[in-house]
Amino acid sequence: MTVSPDDAPWWTRAVVYQIYPRSFADSDGDGVGDLRGILEHVDHLADLGVDVVWLSPIYRSPQDDNGYDISDYDDVDPLFGSLADLDALIEALHARGIKLVMDLVVNHTSDEHPWFTASRSATDDPRRDWYWWRPARPGTVPGAPGAEPTNWRSFFSGPAWQYDEATGEYYLHLFSRKQPDLNWENPQVRQAVYAMMRRWLDRGVDGFRMDVINLVSKVTSLPDGVVGVDGLGDGSPYYTCGPRIHELLHEMHEEVFAGRSGQLLTVGETPGVTLADAVAFTDPARGEVDMVFAFEHVDLGRGPGGKFDPVPVRLTELKEVLGRWQAGLGEVGWNSLYWSNHDQPRVVSRWGDESPASAKALATLLHLHRGTPYVYQGEELGMTNAHFTAVEQYQDIEVVNYVAQVRALGLVDEAHLLAGLATTSRDNARTPVQWDAGPNAGFTSGEPWLTVNPNHVRINAAAQRQDETSVLAHYRRLIALRHDEPTVALGDFTMLLPEHEQVYAFTRRLGADLLVVAVNVGAEPVEVDLGVPVEGAEVVHATHPDAVAPGPGPLRLRGWEALVLRPRG
Ligand code: ISL
């Protein structure tokens, strides 16, 4: 959006921090992180300087998908604490000027949610139509393999339909069979969701991160998809940004957000979203959401066998994607900026070499883009992938189901499987936060639910807190830079050197002010002509504490060096 610093929305200057509560900090020794654990570390967030915390789900849940399967939207799961603990957290964050954004998971509920238990109880139950129930494919035996109403594959392997003996029909679940999809065609479903959202806002939360919100509108005839090697079809063309998605998000906006203060934040998680749809979602004039999470940059490197069959990616491919999204959401709409979250591998393992230097360079690269940056817990410490060596170490339902499927189909050898999981599995981001060098990294006094990374003896918050050269201190400076420099928040973005395979460079311009950003995405030194004069420029921000104004000739960057320069004059 083209706005002046005076009337730009508050979140154009904000940085969001994501907490995955299960892995953040455990206060009671049961091995699972909890709300009291977060309370013990709120000053870590305040010191970092973040404006918003996005809290992954803490609602009542059977934990089939670590809380993304909710059985009561209005209560806290005892695993994480109580409503009183949540109120205390809201108060502690607000006292430090930090907002709290809740995860909103309403594409599906748990199969243990009372809405679903009613829905499955009888074909004439008033809640039957709240979910997607369909009879077996005509001419098949209900419950037999291949009798599913459509050939759709679930995100977590296997068919997206579960047969229910009691009523002889199937229900749709795009994720696990314990996550039945809500039927957003039914106005009662929508009103129940909106009422729940209003209750949370009334309680004091500051907005929502909306889980797979672009999957709620389905093509109601549910056509079969193109069949893959597993014999199942890809239904995504019929449920990704479906026919009514913009109408439904606008309705939600009117029913829930209109008339509330402009201090809220709404961000849609939108796998498979196109740039054109993202513009529509985030055009303020349309009243849908403030920003969305796009997936093109994190989906780079998918091989022929999907996410667990990764292939190498070139820096120029990353530039092409991020540059296109910067340009596409320049005039209208707004980007969210993220490297990592609880579903993605760690950025230092993916794009860096796991050194603190690479963590800092990649942080500068992302945070100097135009959009709202999201920091995923532990990223500010340079935490790495898990490096598990056995399939049994993985806990994630996506991995467990995938392994069972490929073994049953005999599709991959075990070494290839292990290598793929080690590269892209979601558990890479879910190992406990590394607070100190002590037992279990200070995460728990008990047995952690997921193995703590042994590198916590080197990489941890305690070691970095007082060290001005640490990754943590670097993140602190980057966050302050966004708060202090209107050009970082609002300047136009222009990519430089799109064909260069080692240097990622761009400019940001706001009125007469120009910033030049150059990042060496590699450990080898490099010399480069940016095509923009930077001799004698002011060093506004740098990865290396001894960085000085560039001299004449090509710009020299040391390994993993990033510079933010303000040319003189
Ligand atoms: O990581 C993925 C599987 O390969 C993604 O496709 C992921 O499932 C997708 O981004 C949706 O994620 C969100 O909804 C899921 C939940 O498992 C994820 O943790 C959540 O972020 C279902 O609620």
Side-chain angles (χ1 to χ4, degrees):
M1 70 193 69
T2 32
V3 278
S4 76
D6 292 337
D7 52 29
W10 67 272
W11 36 258
T12 56
R13 276 196 182 77
V15 177
V16 184
Y17 185 94
Q18 182 193 352
I19 291 182
Y20 192 65
R22 169 177 282 272
S23 304
F24 191 72
D26 173 24
S27 71
D28 60 5
D30 67 355
V32 177
D34 47 43
L35 292 169
R36 290 265 146 205
I38 301 172
L39 265 166
E40 287 168 11
H41 289 282
V42 279
D43 284 326
H44 176 78
L45 309 171
D47 291 346
L48 193 53
V50 297
D51 307 275
V52 183
V53 165
W54 147 30
L55 183 59
S56 278
I58 44 73
Y59 312 97
R60 273 191 190 264
S61 162
Q63 303 291 324
D64 188 52
D65 185 19
N66 292 356
Y68 283 89
D69 50 315
I70 297 169
S71 54
D72 183 349
Y73 288 112
D74 289 292
D75 202 2
V76 169
D77 197 289
L79 188 65
F80 297 121
S82 64
L83 277 170
D85 294 335
L86 185 60
D87 288 338
L89 179 62
I90 295 171
E91 199 184 316
L93 290 171
H94 284 177
R96 289 161 179 80
I98 302 173
K99 297 178 192 290
L100 182 69
V101 160
M102 297 286 273
D103 221 305
L104 179 81
V105 188
V106 289
N107 172 69
H108 43 268
T109 67
S110 164
D111 67 337
E112 297 180 35
H113 194 290
W115 295 346
F116 186 76
T117 50
S119 184
R120 89 186 312 171
S121 67
T123 51
D124 60 357
D125 185 89
R127 292 239 157 82
R128 186 67 169 181
D129 183 52
W130 282 39
Y131 295 83
W132 294 87
W133 290 97
R134 290 289 184 279
R137 191 180 284 273
T140 62
V141 179
E148 291 81 14
T150 78
N151 67 3
W152 293 5
R153 173 191 306 116
S154 121
F155 278 83
F156 295 156
S157 304
W161 295 95
Q162 177 66 27
Y163 182 59
D164 190 56
E165 295 252 346
T167 54
E169 291 188 326
Y170 290 80
Y171 63 85
L172 176 68
H173 61 89
L174 293 184
F175 293 90
S176 95
R177 69 184 58 153
K178 288 186 66 64
Q179 293 168 297
D181 280 53
L182 280 166
N183 176 16
W184 277 66
E185 297 297 317
N186 184 320
Q188 292 175 336
V189 167
R190 307 203 298 269
Q191 288 307 325
V193 167
Y194 304 153
M196 173 270 286
M197 294 171 74
R198 288 189 292 260
R199 287 194 294 277
W200 280 108
L201 293 176
D202 291 344
R203 197 169 192 110
V205 310
D206 303 291
F208 299 98
R209 173 271 186 187
M210 304 172 181
D211 192 68
V212 291
I213 200 67
N214 66 325
L215 309 189
V216 300
S217 168
K218 279 96 172 160
V219 173
T220 54
S221 59
L222 308 177
D224 278 335
V226 176
V227 177
V229 286
D230 56 358
L232 293 171
D234 174 13
S236 65
Y238 311 111
Y239 58 71
T240 304
C241 298
R244 297 182 65 192
I245 190 62
H246 295 289
E247 172 202 334
L248 295 178
L249 282 188
H250 180 65
E251 179 185 86
M252 176 195 282
H253 186 274
E254 293 298 296
E255 293 275 342
V256 180
F257 302 114
R260 302 235 176 205
S261 92
Q263 292 304 303
L264 302 180
L265 173 69
T266 57
V267 50
E269 191 220 19
T270 51
V273 71
T274 61
L275 184 48
D277 268 313
V279 172
F281 282 132
T282 65
D283 176 355
R286 296 173 59 99
E288 296 185 23
V289 291
D290 296 328
M291 62 193 91
V292 297
F293 291 123
F295 277 68
E296 272 196 63
H297 70 300
V298 290
D299 283 345
L300 287 170
R302 279 182 185 236
K307 74 177 272 191
F308 295 124
D309 183 26
V311 294
V313 188
R314 294 193 315 275
L315 185 65
T316 46
E317 295 177 74
L318 180 67
K319 290 185 197 183
E320 190 282 320
V321 170
L322 292 181
R324 185 159 37 79
W325 280 78
Q326 288 286 301
L329 290 170
E331 288 293 311
V332 175
W334 191 251
N335 272 291
S336 60
L337 309 171
Y338 73 100
W339 280 136
S340 198
N341 58 41
H342 63 294
D343 295 334
Q344 298 293 332
R346 292 284 183 178
V347 64
V348 281
S349 305
R350 182 164 200 181
W351 286 102
D353 62 5
E354 302 203 339
S355 64
S358 67
K360 290 184 229 172
L362 292 164
T364 297
L365 193 166
L366 187 75
H367 280 241
L368 266 291
H369 279 69
R370 186 171 196 269
T372 301
Y374 287 71
V375 178
Y376 176 65
Q377 65 183 35
E379 184 186 320
E380 78 281 18
L381 307 174
M383 278 180 63
T384 70
N385 275 354
H387 302 306
F388 290 160
T389 51
V391 166
E392 293 65 39
Q393 285 177 284
Y394 291 92
Q395 305 283 328
D396 182 14
I397 183 171
E398 182 185 35
V399 169
V400 172
N401 288 2
Y402 176 78
V403 168
Q405 176 188 287
V406 291
R407 282 182 176 165
L409 295 172
L411 282 180
V412 291
D413 67 74
E414 292 288 313
H416 188 77
L417 174 63
L418 209 50
L421 300 181
T423 309
T424 43
S425 128
R426 309 197 297 183
D427 279 342
N428 280 312
R430 299 179 179 185
T431 62
V433 169
Q434 296 166 200
W435 294 107
D436 59 42
N440 291 322
F443 164 73
T444 181
S445 58
E447 196 53 43
W449 74 275
L450 188 66
T451 313
V452 172
N453 196 315
N455 68 18
H456 73 273
V457 296
R458 268 187 301 117
I459 302 170
N460 64 71
Q464 296 187 31
R465 207 156 271 140
Q466 306 304 330
D467 176 0
E468 280 308 301
T469 69
S470 65
V471 177
L472 180 60
H474 190 77
Y475 268 86
R476 209 185 281 135
R477 285 192 292 270
L478 273 174
I479 293 165
L481 190 69
R482 175 164 294 263
H483 294 154
D484 296 344
E485 292 275 0
T487 306
V488 172
L490 292 169
D492 288 347
F493 178 100
T494 303
M495 188 71 82
L496 303 174
L497 312 177
E499 306 299 330
H500 203 289
E501 287 294 356
Q502 190 176 344
V503 175
Y504 194 120
F506 51 90
T507 62
R508 304 289 312 281
R509 184 188 291 278
L510 185 68
D513 190 39
L514 179 72
L515 294 176
V516 179
V517 182
V519 183
N520 181 358
V521 187
E524 294 301 316
V526 65
E527 287 196 1
V528 69
D529 182 357
L530 294 177
V532 176
V534 290
E535 184 182 344
E538 174 198 352
V539 179
V540 177
H541 166 92
T543 45
H544 294 46
D546 58 350
V548 292
L555 181 68
R556 278 191 282 280
L557 294 168
R558 293 167 279 183
W560 298 113
E561 183 167 29
L563 294 172
V564 180
L565 303 169
R566 176 174 278 127
R568 310 255 172 216

